[in-house]
Amino acid sequence: MFETYARLGERALRDEPPSEQEALWILDADDVELLPLLHAAFLPRREHFGRRVMVHVLDNAQNGLCPEDCGYCSQSKRSEAPLRKYPLKNEDEILAGAERAARAGATRYCIVLSGRGPTLARTRELAAIVRRIKERYPIGVCLSVGLLEEEHARILADAGLDRLNHNLNTSESHYPEICTTHTYADRVRTLAAAKKSGIEPCSGLIVGMGERSTDLVEVAFRLRELEVPSIPVNFLIPIAGNPVLSDGSLAPERCLRVLALMRLVNPRAEIRIAAGREGHLRSLGALSLWPANSLFVEGYLTTRGDAVAETYRMIRDAGFEVDGNPLSRAEGIAGDVLAGGYRLTGREGEILRPEVVRPA
Ligand code: SF4
């Protein structure tokens, strides 16, 4: 029975993905045993990343006011979610965010802007900010700014941008049910523009938007075909007011199976547990570190997530280590976030007194 899992793991070590049939088995079969599956996914994870966990901090640098209609997004024109909208933050605010992220031990600072895509003037402005961050802090920088042409990507590459994020989100056939104002091909073209300009593309998916398992398998293989080295796996956060709400498929075990699938199909990629980690994986959160080697701290675009201290504790308790950056490796991670000791969740320090029963 364990042979199937061993075979999947060994093939992944040789960078051979599962067949489509095996991929569907991983997601849907009743006879899948979770722990051997996670171990199979752990083999390539350990081979390429050891037990290190890359930590990402996201800065929502421009919120709302978007003319696009992505159904999962509270910043879209279709969403009725109450949202604090704001234009692009100023450079000092973004630089302060980068410094905080570097001092907290993040590997990467991800700057995200709402909107269809930047003008050339806005791209130059962002390039200047990226250049400044790279001069001051030893942290990777990723930008998520919508659709880009090669001309834009070259400006950002010249400024030293490390990564450009643009998620495929789902399969090509399911995409029109999620968004109609731009196409899947537009998204693929943006990733190609990044790659051609020498910027690492980052692209992933959102699970729980009414897709079938075949859609998840399709997008996993598409990301492999595009040789995407960084894959965020989001689990849809149901935000009241958004047209696309969670389809109810996201039990913790389903999330872990999806992460295992993404690792086995893309053994060398940085697989990131992204939005929805806390709410959908819940008590099984630490198990996600076996297939995945990267995560976000302190929340997502428009929702909060677990804080640095809580997340680092989970990483350490599971026997993994924060990858960090040259600054945090030299100075140690800020504050007492790695302090050990006895800890209870909930009401801490309350003493439960035994009742004294008097003899009759
Ligand atoms: S995902 Fe991006 S492009 Fe789509 S609605 Fe949200 S901010 Fe706009």
Side-chain angles (χ1 to χ4, degrees), residues 7 15 22 28 36 43 50 78 83 104 251 255 267 290 331 341-342:
R7 202 175 53 240
D15 202 14
E22 286 168 326
D28 291 336
L43 296 178
R78 274 207 290 165
L83 192 71
C255 301
W290 270 259
E331 293 186 358
Y342 172 74

Side-chain angles (χ1 to χ4, degrees), residues 66 68-70 72-73 75-77 113-116 182 187:
C66 185
E68 302 297 290
D69 72 351
C70 310
Y72 52 85
C73 179
Q75 309 189 62
S76 98
K77 67 175 180 190
L113 271 68
S114 57
R116 183 179 171 88
H182 56 264
R187 293 199 162 238

Side-chain angles (χ1 to χ4, degrees), residues 66-310:
C66 185
E68 302 297 290
D69 72 351
C70 310
Y72 52 85
C73 179
S74 51
Q75 309 189 62
S76 98
K77 67 175 180 190
R78 274 207 290 165
S79 175
E80 287 167 7
L83 192 71
R84 189 169 63 89
K85 299 172 181 149
Y86 50 82
L88 183 62
K89 289 181 182 173
N90 68 41
E91 183 177 312
D92 288 346
E93 278 178 278
I94 298 176
L95 285 173
E99 179 172 5
R100 271 197 307 278
R103 293 201 178 279
T107 313
R108 203 170 295 277
Y109 181 54
C110 309
I111 307 167
V112 186
L113 271 68
S114 57
R116 183 179 171 88
T119 60
L120 278 174
R122 177 48 57 88
T123 305
R124 289 193 190 95
E125 212 178 319
L126 291 167
I129 296 174
V130 169
R131 188 170 281 118
R132 216 98 63 210
I133 296 173
K134 299 296 293 180
E135 283 163 3
R136 291 190 194 173
Y137 308 110
I139 191 166
V141 181
C142 178
L143 208 53
S144 187
V145 284
L147 301 170
L148 281 185
E149 299 298 333
E150 237 181 280
E151 194 180 0
H152 302 73
R154 271 200 306 274
I155 295 170
L156 295 166
D158 288 346
L161 181 68
D162 301 290
R163 266 193 193 158
L164 186 99
N165 165 266
H166 202 55
N167 291 332
L168 290 185
N169 287 328
T170 187
S171 71
E172 187 159 11
S173 53
H174 188 229
Y175 198 72
E177 292 176 41
I178 301 302
C179 173
T180 62
T181 46
H182 56 264
T183 64
Y184 207 72
D186 291 331
R187 293 199 162 238
V188 173
R189 215 175 32 251
T190 297
L191 294 174
K195 200 167 173 185
K196 201 160 173 203
S197 313
I199 304 172
E200 264 189 359
C202 166
S203 184
L205 58 153
I206 305 175
V207 190
M209 299 194 294
E211 72 282 341
R212 294 156 302 169
S213 292
T214 47
D215 294 304
L216 295 174
V217 172
E218 192 183 317
V219 69
F221 278 91
R222 192 67 182 268
L223 293 166
R224 177 181 170 91
E225 189 187 302
L226 294 171
E227 298 175 332
V228 171
S230 164
I231 302 179
V233 182
N234 297 280
F235 301 103
L236 185 72
I237 296 178
I239 297 177
N242 285 357
V244 176
L245 293 172
S246 186
D247 59 14
S249 66
L250 295 176
E253 187 185 335
R254 172 76 170 175
C255 301
L256 291 169
R257 288 190 191 211
V258 173
L259 289 167
L261 173 74
M262 297 311 294
R263 167 62 65 205
L264 291 168
V265 175
N266 299 276
R268 292 170 178 277
E270 181 184 333
I271 304 290
R272 184 168 320 105
I273 322 148
R277 168 168 69 86
E278 297 85 348
H280 289 300
L281 279 151
R282 300 193 290 276
S283 58
L284 299 193
L287 290 179
S288 62
L289 298 173
W290 270 259
N293 66 301
S294 178
L295 45 68
F296 283 102
V297 288
E298 303 278 0
Y300 309 97
L301 268 185
T302 57
T303 53
R304 281 191 206 288
D306 280 352
V308 173
E310 217 166 335

